[in-house]
Amino acid sequence: MLFVQTSEVAIGSPIKMEKQAISNLDFKKIFSDTLNSMTLIPLMISGGRSNVTTRCNQNMTLTDMRAQYASRVLSNIFAYKDLNSEIVLTSTTNCDSKKLNNTITCVVGPVINPATKKKDVTTSFQEYVRLRKLRVKCRHPPEGENMSEAWITEAVVCYDFLHNDTTKPMHAVGLAAGLENDPPFREAVKILYNRSRVACILQKFDEGVDCSLFPPLPSLDMTNFKLLKQKAEIDITSKYIAGFVPMLNKFSVTRIAKITAELWRFLLFLSQDYSHYYSSVRTLCDEHNRSHPTMHARIWMLKVILTIYDAAFAFLNLKPLEYV
């Protein structure tokens, strides 16, 4: 995987530094390497070894469910890395995170009820999901039960449980009486929404090719990536496309508690930066922008971004949605 090579310049204009960043960025190689890696991830998850389990109370609390969510994601991560260390996630507070007899035990932080400011031991997981589903319904016009609504709810719950250090308390904002201040919900939906944006642009491009509105996408070798000159294109490629696999490779048993948070944070920052890019740059050609070569370079970038979203969603056991 190729990283952006930077060099310190004592004196230089921003324009010169930006041109230097472009010249040091091999878009074609980065895109090709990332696409190849993303193709292998589902196979590595299904074929790799992992040994992650949970130790929960008989009466399942929200904290126990948090441990189960973390366990499923970490199982995928370590299957991808083919690490067979025995890892136990537990909600039991009378044992510390430790390594004993080659078993790594990680105590999951409690789910805090915002009303009592204490660990929630009364709300069932089914009730928590119901409350989150109501929040989803508030955002969408009521059209009855549908799979999109169910999967959005699942993503929000997953984000609630796993977007911070799993050994730290998680404040269940979704249990609060008012829904005016709900950052986890907004952040989870932002991630889903921007993945959907990328997918929709690619779908519109394919439809444009089918009706001869756009010329077909050339191969990577035949695409002129020197046309990717926007600062946002450079930043997205260097920080997220070139950075995704190295981030995965850094995940280890010594950093169990931070893995899920880092994965979600990566997706959130990618979504924030892509949202700004989407607002300022038009990817598809129209009457104002007729540069097909530039469009093709941007389409390739979006294709790679989409594979990163989908690979991350595979680790998180989430279903990619075309429309949110």
Side-chain angles (χ1 to χ4, degrees), residues 70-197:
S71 173
R72 291 196 288 265
V73 175
L74 291 173
S75 181
N76 290 338
I77 292 288
F78 290 121
Y80 160 77
K81 296 178 69 69
D82 200 28
L83 293 177
N84 200 30
S85 300
E86 185 175 359
I87 301 167
V88 176
L89 285 89
T90 178
S91 61
T92 305
T93 57
N94 59 0
C95 83
D96 297 323
S97 297
K98 59 186 178 179
K99 185 170 181 179
L100 181 63
N101 295 330
N102 297 321
T103 298
I104 300 170
T105 301
C106 180
V107 179
V108 174
V111 175
I112 304 297
N113 189 311
T116 64
K117 311 297 186 195
K118 297 179 180 179
K119 177 181 177 179
D120 189 291
V121 294
T122 58
T123 306
S124 69
F125 178 66
Q126 290 74 18
E127 174 64 8
Y128 187 79
V129 171
R130 185 188 72 82
L131 292 171
R132 281 330 230 163
K133 188 173 291 186
L134 286 175
R135 182 71 172 94
V136 173
K137 284 180 178 291
C138 288
R139 181 179 178 274
H140 294 272
E143 298 176 351
E145 186 71 18
N146 60 72
M147 283 305 296
S148 176
E149 180 181 283
W151 280 107
I152 294 172
T153 303
E154 173 64 14
V156 170
V157 171
C158 181
Y159 188 85
D160 285 345
F161 284 161
L162 302 182
H163 75 278
N164 67 339
D165 186 318
T166 52
T167 62
K168 304 297 183 183
M170 169 236 155
H171 295 271
V173 179
L175 295 177
L179 295 175
E180 295 81 9
N181 186 25
D182 193 349
F185 178 85
R186 292 197 304 272
E187 291 168 358
V189 170
K190 178 185 283 289
I191 292 167
L192 296 176
Y193 186 61
N194 280 282
R195 188 268 171 201
S196 177
R197 272 177 165 170

Side-chain angles (χ1 to χ4, degrees), residues 44-53 70-89 104 248-257 259-260 315:
M44 296 171 76
I45 291 176
S46 62
R49 298 171 299 167
S50 68
N51 188 4
V52 184
T53 58
S71 173
R72 291 196 288 265
V73 175
L74 291 173
S75 181
N76 290 338
I77 292 288
F78 290 121
Y80 160 77
K81 296 178 69 69
D82 200 28
L83 293 177
N84 200 30
S85 300
E86 185 175 359
I87 301 167
V88 176
L89 285 89
I104 300 170
L248 296 178
N249 292 339
K250 290 180 182 178
F251 290 159
S252 68
V253 293
T254 61
R255 302 175 62 251
I256 293 173
I259 288 176
T260 63
F315 285 122

